[in-house]
Amino acid sequence: MQCPTAPPSSNKLSAGSQHQQQQQPPPSAHDFTKTIVLASTPFGMVPDGWTGVADGAQIQYPVFGAANVGQANASANSFENSTEKRKAPKSKQQESRRSGAEEEGTARGGATSKNKKKASGSDATKETDYIHVRARRGEATDSHSLAERVRRERISERMKYLQELVPGCSKIMGKASTLDEIINYVQSLQRQVEFLSMKLAAAEPRMHLSSSNFFDREELNAPCNSSSVPVMGVTSDQLKHSGLQLASLQQDALASCLDVHGWSTWDAGLHGFHDGEIHRGSHLCPGNHCKVNNNTSIAVCNQAETAPFALWEVSYPTI
Amino acid sequence: MQVPNSFKLALLKQMLLGFQLSAVSSNSMSFHERKNAIKLSADAAMVFARGSTRWTRGLVSSLSKNRNNDGLLRGILGKKYERLSLPCCNSWKIPRSRKILKRCLGLCSRRKKATGPQHDVESSRTLARRLAKKRIQVLKKLLPGGESMEGFSLLDQTLDYAVSLKAQVDIMRRLLKISKASNLNK
């Protein structure tokens, strides 16, 4: 078997590995061959920190195991110091996936070995405090492969989040199909924005939404929490006194429009304004419907925090 | 859903501000002008509420290409406009260098294919990869500023953009509901 990558000096490779984390490493074409050779090497018997040194010494390549996810600063120049600590912040996913053992580069002088992922008695490596990426069994321990694996895992994590976001996408397996769904979703959202702006434009001259005394810009700069009660109170007073064009129902509906949980202050201000005409149910509790029991029956669904797809369907049946 | 309330509030506020500034309630605008003004207000409000991300900057740059939008954009975004319209570092160099790289790789792979063993049936893996690549191209065109993004950052920004779009749609729908309700009452 030929030696796929035998870098002459470890210095160069480490410098290269630094760059690995920022670029996309090209897929290694020799992974399979490497694994075959590695599988036959003994664990833990690694003089001078080289991995994969079989009796025949067929492959020698340094392993820079701590392929950090772009967060650590790989100090490329201090190889000789084996006790060097790279205290980079560990991301959550790495905590859960990697264990404490590490695979050190050759010139760092650490004795390393290829480890199984969850093997109990196979590892003979020393533990340090690095961010550790463990090569799985049968997988190459090349720095390229490790960095690439980390990159792949980040991407798959993002894909998972996207799958959760897009309704109906969690059943879909396969990268191309999920990407397809994501594209459809984003396109549909963009189309909806167009459509809604068209509808708003059609409804606009009667709405008088652009009346200047509707919102005072500075007042609503503060985030809406319990400490901003006076702010809301002032706002509602302003609304009252400035002779607003909006009907009272509009304001109330606007309040319910913004009525995600925790905005009790807003309602308190408007309650006084409306002389208690409005019946507000348990809208302050999350996950309840809020019914504005006036001449019209607007049911504003405040389940904004739960399943988005259900919200989509349930709360806007009329549109 | 994953969007904080402050985001929605800022979005709504800036959108209404944009309506004020562009005076959409006046009767002097044509339907199309009004629709464009509303859409611009909505997009600018979304940008304001989100802050500075890659898609935000891409959106601002694409919106400001039209000279008419400048006034409204500045009105809504305020001080943030300057910060957001700064081009991100080497944003034009990255896609160019990637194109060069891909061209080289394409040439190399084509040479290999010409001389290497001929396979009639493409392996399923490369087929899947090709499909995924096509989708990624489409996604890049969809996402504002997506041309210069790759891989992980593309997906990350897509997630961000989709969530913000959803919030925007949500707010606009509620506004529409209000108008319907008020019209019923009048």
Side-chain angles (χ1 to χ4, degrees), chain A:
Chain A
M1 296 237 186
Q2 49 177 333
C3 175
T5 53
S9 77
S10 46
N11 274 331
K12 271 191 205 165
L13 189 60
S14 72
S17 76
Q18 229 180 352
H19 291 298
Q20 284 304 328
Q21 292 147 20
Q22 287 117 26
Q23 297 168 4
Q24 301 172 11
S28 159
H30 300 286
D31 273 346
F32 190 54
T33 59
K34 277 184 201 167
T35 57
I36 289 178
V37 173
L38 280 176
S40 61
T41 59
F43 299 150
M45 286 293 120
V46 194
D48 299 329
W50 286 94
T51 58
V53 178
D55 290 331
Q58 291 173 342
I59 288 188
Q60 294 180 2
Y61 48 87
V63 170
F64 290 85
N68 308 314
V69 195
Q71 291 174 5
N73 305 318
S75 51
N77 297 323
S78 54
F79 301 126
E80 290 74 29
N81 186 10
S82 62
T83 61
E84 152 206 354
K85 304 272 187 216
R86 238 189 284 151
K87 291 273 190 184
K90 297 191 183 188
S91 59
K92 268 190 204 169
Q93 64 186 67
Q94 287 178 325
E95 288 280 14
S96 57
R97 295 187 65 106
R98 277 80 170 180
S99 63
E102 37 104 56
E103 290 152 37
E104 270 289 0
T106 78
R108 294 203 201 113
T112 63
S113 73
K114 176 184 79 69
N115 293 315
K116 292 188 208 166
K117 192 175 185 189
K118 283 168 188 169
S120 49
S122 63
D123 43 349
T125 59
K126 57 182 181 183
E127 319 244 2
T128 60
D129 294 339
Y130 290 40
I131 290 183
H132 305 299
V133 179
R134 207 179 247 223
R136 298 185 202 149
R137 183 199 171 95
E139 208 179 275
T141 51
D142 195 15
S143 67
H144 296 265
S145 322
L146 277 170
E148 194 182 319
R149 186 158 74 91
V150 161
R151 172 187 159 259
R152 257 182 284 150
E153 277 164 3
R154 286 178 88 198
I155 287 184
S156 63
E157 192 203 2
R158 283 289 172 253
M159 292 287 283
K160 263 185 244 162
Y161 283 140
L162 278 165
Q163 269 186 326
E164 286 172 16
L165 177 72
V166 177
C169 203
S170 40
K171 314 164 198 162
I172 294 182
M173 302 297 150
K175 199 168 169 186
S177 315
T178 42
L179 279 175
D180 210 25
E181 288 299 316
I182 290 165
I183 286 171
N184 287 338
Y185 185 64
V186 170
Q187 271 175 343
S188 80
L189 282 178
Q190 285 175 339
R191 261 183 263 135
Q192 275 175 39
V193 169
E194 287 273 347
F195 180 66
L196 283 168
S197 62
M198 208 172 63
K199 280 204 138 183
L200 278 171
E204 187 49 56
R206 297 166 284 169
M207 273 169 73
H208 307 290
L209 265 188
S210 61
S211 57
S212 56
N213 41 21
F214 190 33
F215 276 123
D216 195 352
R217 188 177 190 175
E218 281 71 26
E219 286 192 341
L220 289 181
N221 271 332
C224 184
N225 48 20
S226 54
S227 63
S228 61
V229 174
V231 174
M232 289 306 167
V234 168
T235 310
S236 66
D237 283 339
Q238 258 213 348
L239 291 178
K240 183 176 184 177
H241 294 307
S242 55
L244 208 45
Q245 292 172 350
L246 281 185
S248 62
L249 182 66
Q250 270 187 337
Q251 294 162 29
D252 178 49
L254 191 62
S256 59
C257 160
L258 304 172
D259 190 12
V260 289
H261 36 260
W263 291 25
S264 53
T265 59
W266 178 266
D267 309 317
L270 283 171
H271 266 217
F273 182 63
H274 281 293
D275 302 319
E277 245 190 6
I278 301 154
H279 160 67
R280 281 192 179 271
S282 50
H283 59 277
L284 297 178
C285 307
N288 288 336
H289 285 273
C290 164
K291 291 215 171 88
V292 176
N293 229 353
N294 268 349
N295 302 329
T296 68
S297 55
I298 304 173
V300 178
C301 178
N302 289 326
Q303 291 173 347
E305 317 302 312
T306 54
F309 194 55
L311 173 69
W312 193 273
E313 292 295 313
V314 166
S315 65
Y316 305 111
T318 57
I319 292 186

Side-chain angles (χ1 to χ4, degrees), chain B residues 11-178:
Chain B
L11 186 64
L12 178 65
K13 211 181 67 175
Q14 295 303 311
M15 208 187 311
L16 293 172
L17 176 68
F19 292 168
Q20 282 179 36
L21 288 177
S22 54
V24 292
S25 291
S26 65
N27 290 321
S28 57
M29 296 176 104
S30 75
F31 176 74
H32 278 290
E33 283 175 0
R34 200 173 292 136
K35 178 198 128 189
N36 291 336
I38 289 177
K39 180 153 195 289
L40 181 62
S41 301
D43 287 338
M46 184 167 69
V47 164
F48 181 90
R50 183 59 190 88
S52 180
T53 53
R54 290 175 84 166
W55 68 263
T56 325
R57 274 174 272 161
L59 188 53
V60 166
S61 64
S62 60
L63 285 177
S64 57
K65 276 182 188 160
N66 187 359
R67 287 293 161 192
N68 301 337
N69 301 339
D70 238 8
L72 188 55
L73 266 179
R74 280 181 199 271
I76 294 179
L77 294 177
K79 287 183 206 166
K80 292 193 177 185
Y81 180 72
E82 300 303 327
R83 226 185 309 155
L84 287 172
S85 49
L86 285 174
C88 32
C89 47
N90 302 332
S91 57
W92 57 276
K93 278 190 190 167
I94 294 176
R96 188 179 74 171
S97 60
R98 287 215 173 97
K99 279 181 200 163
I100 295 172
L101 195 67
K102 280 180 183 168
R103 215 185 306 148
C104 294
L105 286 175
L107 281 172
C108 294
S109 65
R110 233 173 285 150
R111 257 183 243 141
K112 272 189 196 169
K113 277 185 188 170
T115 57
Q118 301 294 327
H119 293 287
D120 290 342
V121 178
E122 210 170 347
S123 76
S124 57
R125 211 188 282 178
T126 44
L127 184 66
R129 215 175 286 165
R130 256 196 217 173
L131 287 177
K133 271 212 185 290
K134 277 190 197 169
R135 309 286 202 272
I136 286 182
Q137 295 300 319
V138 176
L139 192 59
K140 279 191 188 180
K141 284 181 199 155
L142 267 188
L143 202 61
E147 299 289 332
S148 58
M149 290 189 244
E150 279 284 330
F152 176 77
S153 56
L154 185 67
L155 288 178
D156 193 35
Q157 296 294 300
T158 309
L159 185 64
D160 211 59
Y161 182 59
V163 167
S164 313
L165 265 187
K166 179 128 201 327
Q168 187 188 36
V169 164
D170 198 30
I171 295 280
M172 285 173 89
R173 279 194 182 201
R174 292 185 184 197
L175 270 179
L176 200 58
K177 258 208 164 172
I178 292 173

